[in-house]
Amino acid sequence: MVSVINKHPYRCGYLIILIGLVVLLAWELLFGYILNSKLVLVKGSQSEHIWKENLVPIYFKVYMFNWTNPEETLAKKQKPNFQEIGPYTFRFSQPKTNIVYNKNHTVTFSSDRLWHFEAKKSKGRLSDRITNINPIAMSVGDRAKSQSFFKKPFISKFLSFMEKEVYVTKTVEELLFEGYDDRILSMATTLKSWGASVDEFLPEKFGWYFDKNASSDVTLYNVNTGTDDLNNLGKVNWFNYKTRCGVYSDRCDQVHGSLGDLWPKNLTKEKIASLYISDFCSSFDLTRMETRRLFWTTGVQFVGTDRTFDNGNKYYQNRCYCKNNKCNYPSGIRDVSDCVHGPIFLSFPHFYLASEQYRRDIKGMHPTAEKHQFSITVQKDSGMVMEIFARLQINVRVEPFSGLGFFSDLPKMMVPTLWFEEYIEMPSSLSWQVRIAFGLAPLLISIIGYGSIIIGIVCLIYGHISYTIRPIPSPSAPSLKKVKS
């Protein structure tokens, strides 16, 4: 090889440079083709296998708020104090069923939800007893406040007889999945069995996730598969055949964004990523922030900011999350009462990034970005999920209602009941593929490609120098011929 270069340095130089360029260009095209084929959601693909079987482990952590001084609060002697208990950790999975691929580059499916308690990863037991506001009483009171002046005394006496207290003490298991009996709910169930007209949204028992674990309830989603354009991958089109939630107005009511497991390839070029959560009938906007090094590659992080739960004062487009586009509460929470049929509001945990008013009304809130920020990190070139910390808090609005003596001693406050963290990290088997595809392979290709170009340039320089300093042969002396005399 060295002898060939010495004889033909220019030819070898150009050839080696050409090889380097071909390696770089061919790799970019080949890698793009392979990446696209891996990302697109088609029947029988690796992407479908991971998506369908929910192979990415998800941990669901729940932190409960224990109301430590309800009697003192109702006697107006102390400010209400809430103590965070937990986490209670569950292994969560969402296997897909009833999968149908459609001709319009979409897929329709159902999604089961399964929670399994992980005692070793928890700080507490499901038998722990928690005291908090009585959500059933608050829901009845919220509906009764609009009743006529003459009806309110009867409603107040009814509540005093049926509920006894404005707060309840139940186990974590009862408050979450098992549910607990309530006299109002039991009466409503009996009336239903008699054929009476009763609110269809009243459950048999109350629990924040009652009847959702391994539920046979069929809910349908329709999302893009990316077969027409990977920049549409994972975008949800409708939920239960509806493109609007029927809860809010304008853009706030539209079903849009991702369900969280599949994201568009070009997501990292966007300023906003939207996550749709059907339980709350709305999408949550996350803002593009900084890049991070994760699994030997570059990830882009989207986080919840003050924009996510703004009430329209700072971001006007958020006003449609308020009833009649008028928010009667400080920024930092979202009214989902019409979605869940109760006075329920969402926020970030411990009212992180919310108005100080919510934390002034009560004690026990200590928000920090490290513990309470909502964030999603996706791979820069593919949009693949690398890490998710989905953190939200469920709050109950409490206020004294005029004419309802049952609520006369209540302070006006937003009561935190629980907050949850849904944590997703790319499994090691998949993370190694990401390390090789986006870290090791590009590095090796760069070394080979650019190394070849550098060697080729050296060969050209060597050839030029060799030609320049080559010694010029001196003319040979004329031969002297013997001249005959």
Side-chain angles (χ1 to χ4, degrees):
M1 180 68 179
V2 175
S3 61
V4 173
I5 293 176
N6 286 331
K7 290 182 180 178
H8 308 287
Y10 282 106
R11 293 180 182 178
C12 289
Y14 286 124
L15 179 61
I16 295 173
I17 290 174
L18 181 61
I19 291 173
L21 291 173
V22 169
V23 167
L24 292 174
L25 293 176
W27 164 253
E28 186 175 349
L29 294 173
L30 179 62
F31 179 73
Y33 173 78
I34 296 175
L35 177 62
N36 291 349
S37 65
K38 293 291 184 182
L39 292 177
V40 68
L41 188 64
V42 294
K43 192 172 184 179
S45 65
Q46 181 184 14
S47 179
E48 187 209 39
H49 180 60
I50 296 172
W51 169 79
K52 176 182 176 181
E53 302 299 333
N54 201 199
L55 298 181
V56 179
I58 305 174
Y59 287 99
F60 188 83
K61 296 182 179 181
V62 181
Y63 297 81
M64 309 297 295
F65 286 107
N66 185 49
W67 191 359
T68 63
N69 59 345
E71 294 293 341
E72 292 80 1
T73 298
L74 296 176
K76 296 181 173 58
K77 294 180 180 180
Q78 295 179 5
K79 184 181 291 188
N81 181 67
F82 295 91
Q83 177 188 12
E84 180 183 285
I85 308 293
Y88 301 90
T89 304
F90 299 82
R91 178 69 179 263
F92 179 58
S93 62
Q94 278 186 299
K96 311 299 189 300
T97 58
N98 304 319
I99 300 173
V100 177
Y101 286 93
N102 307 305
K103 293 182 180 180
N104 62 346
H105 310 290
T106 67
V107 59
T108 304
F109 62 93
S110 298
S111 182
D112 296 331
R113 292 188 287 182
L114 306 170
W115 284 271
H116 177 74
F117 183 60
E118 298 276 353
K120 293 182 179 180
K121 295 181 180 294
S122 300
K123 189 178 179 180
R125 297 174 297 178
L126 294 181
S127 58
D128 294 343
R129 296 182 68 80
I130 303 293
T131 298
N132 207 292
I133 199 71
N134 184 340
I136 302 300
M138 295 304 106
S139 294
V140 174
D142 185 64
R143 298 185 186 192
K145 67 181 181 181
S146 59
Q147 297 295 321
S148 68
F149 175 79
F150 299 101
K151 290 182 179 180
K152 287 182 179 180
F154 296 100
I155 296 173
S156 181
K157 290 181 179 179
F158 170 77
L159 281 171
S160 299
F161 173 74
M162 297 295 291
E163 290 296 328
K164 302 299 183 184
E165 299 290 349
V166 296
Y167 62 91
V168 294
T169 300
K170 302 294 178 181
T171 66
V172 173
E173 188 171 22
E174 288 174 321
L175 289 169
L176 292 180
F177 298 103
E178 186 179 278
Y180 60 87
D181 293 318
D182 180 270
R183 297 178 70 177
I184 289 180
L185 297 182
S186 297
M187 186 179 69
T189 301
T190 302
L191 291 175
K192 281 183 182 179
S193 65
W194 293 349
S197 178
V198 179
D199 191 334
E200 60 177 314
F201 299 111
L202 287 176
E204 296 178 6
K205 294 183 176 182
F206 177 81
W208 292 110
Y209 295 93
F210 174 68
D211 207 27
K212 291 184 179 181
N213 193 3
S215 173
S216 58
D217 226 10
V218 178
T219 54
L220 288 176
Y221 298 90
N222 179 268
V223 304
N224 286 84
T225 61
T227 50
D228 61 333
D229 186 352
L230 280 171
N231 295 327
N232 293 325
L233 177 65
K235 291 182 178 180
V236 60
N237 298 307
W238 51 255
F239 167 71
N240 281 349
Y241 302 105
K242 297 179 180 178
T243 59
R244 301 185 68 86
C245 303
V247 173
Y248 304 107
S249 61
D250 303 327
R251 61 173 290 275
C252 299
D253 199 50
Q254 294 176 351
V255 176
H256 70 280
S258 166
L259 296 179
D261 46 7
L262 298 172
W263 293 90
K265 184 181 177 182
N266 69 339
L267 176 67
T268 56
K269 297 179 181 178
E270 303 293 331
K271 293 182 179 179
I272 299 295
S274 295
L275 179 70
Y276 179 73
I277 302 180
S278 59
D279 283 346
F280 303 122
C281 305
S282 56
S283 298
F284 299 85
D285 290 342
L286 308 176
T287 304
R288 187 185 192 277
M289 299 298 283
E290 58 189 19
T291 58
R292 299 174 56 201
R293 290 296 295 177
L294 202 62
F295 306 130
W296 298 355
T297 184
T298 302
V300 177
Q301 191 177 44
F302 291 83
V303 305
T305 64
D306 60 349
R307 174 192 181 116
T308 307
F309 290 122
D310 181 69
N311 62 2
N313 285 337
K314 190 173 182 180
Y315 300 94
Y316 184 80
Q317 62 269 34
N318 278 14
R319 292 182 66 84
C320 53
Y321 282 116
C322 306
K323 292 181 180 179
N324 301 318
N325 288 337
K326 294 181 180 180
C327 292
N328 299 317
Y329 45 81
S331 186
I333 60 174
R334 179 174 299 177
D335 184 354
V336 294
S337 56
D338 287 342
C339 176
V340 300
H341 311 290
I344 308 301
F345 288 72
L346 293 181
S347 69
F348 292 128
H350 287 246
F351 297 109
Y352 170 66
L353 297 180
S355 169
E356 283 285 341
Q357 181 64 48
Y358 299 113
R359 294 188 289 276
R360 285 198 298 265
D361 291 339
I362 60 177
K363 296 173 64 177
M365 301 293 101
H366 309 286
T368 64
E370 181 183 1
K371 294 181 180 179
H372 306 131
Q373 186 181 68
F374 193 123
S375 70
I376 294 176
T377 303
V378 297
Q379 204 281 325
K380 180 175 69 70
D381 302 307
S382 64
M384 293 176 61
V385 174
M386 302 175 74
E387 190 177 69
I388 293 179
F389 289 97
R391 296 160 171 158
L392 291 173
Q393 180 169 296
I394 298 176
N395 310 286
V396 176
R397 181 185 60 206
V398 173
E399 57 185 330
F401 299 127
S402 176
L404 293 173
F406 185 76
F407 300 96
S408 60
D409 295 328
L410 284 175
K412 187 175 183 179
M413 59 180 173
M414 196 65 66
V415 173
T417 61
L418 64 89
W419 72 270
F420 62 84
E421 173 188 277
E422 197 169 297
Y423 172 63
I424 303 174
E425 184 181 59
M426 188 177 289
S428 57
S429 58
L430 189 57
S431 67
W432 273 108
Q433 296 182 38
V434 171
R435 285 184 173 97
I436 293 172
F438 295 102
L440 184 59
L443 177 62
L444 292 176
I445 293 299
S446 296
I447 292 173
I448 295 172
Y450 290 111
S452 297
I453 293 174
I454 292 171
I455 292 173
I457 293 173
V458 170
C459 289
L460 292 178
I461 295 173
Y462 171 75
H464 177 74
I465 293 174
S466 298
Y467 178 81
T468 303
I469 66 175
R470 180 182 298 169
I472 300 174
S474 57
S476 55
S479 59
L480 297 176
K481 293 183 179 180
K482 192 175 181 180
V483 180
K484 293 182 180 181
S485 54

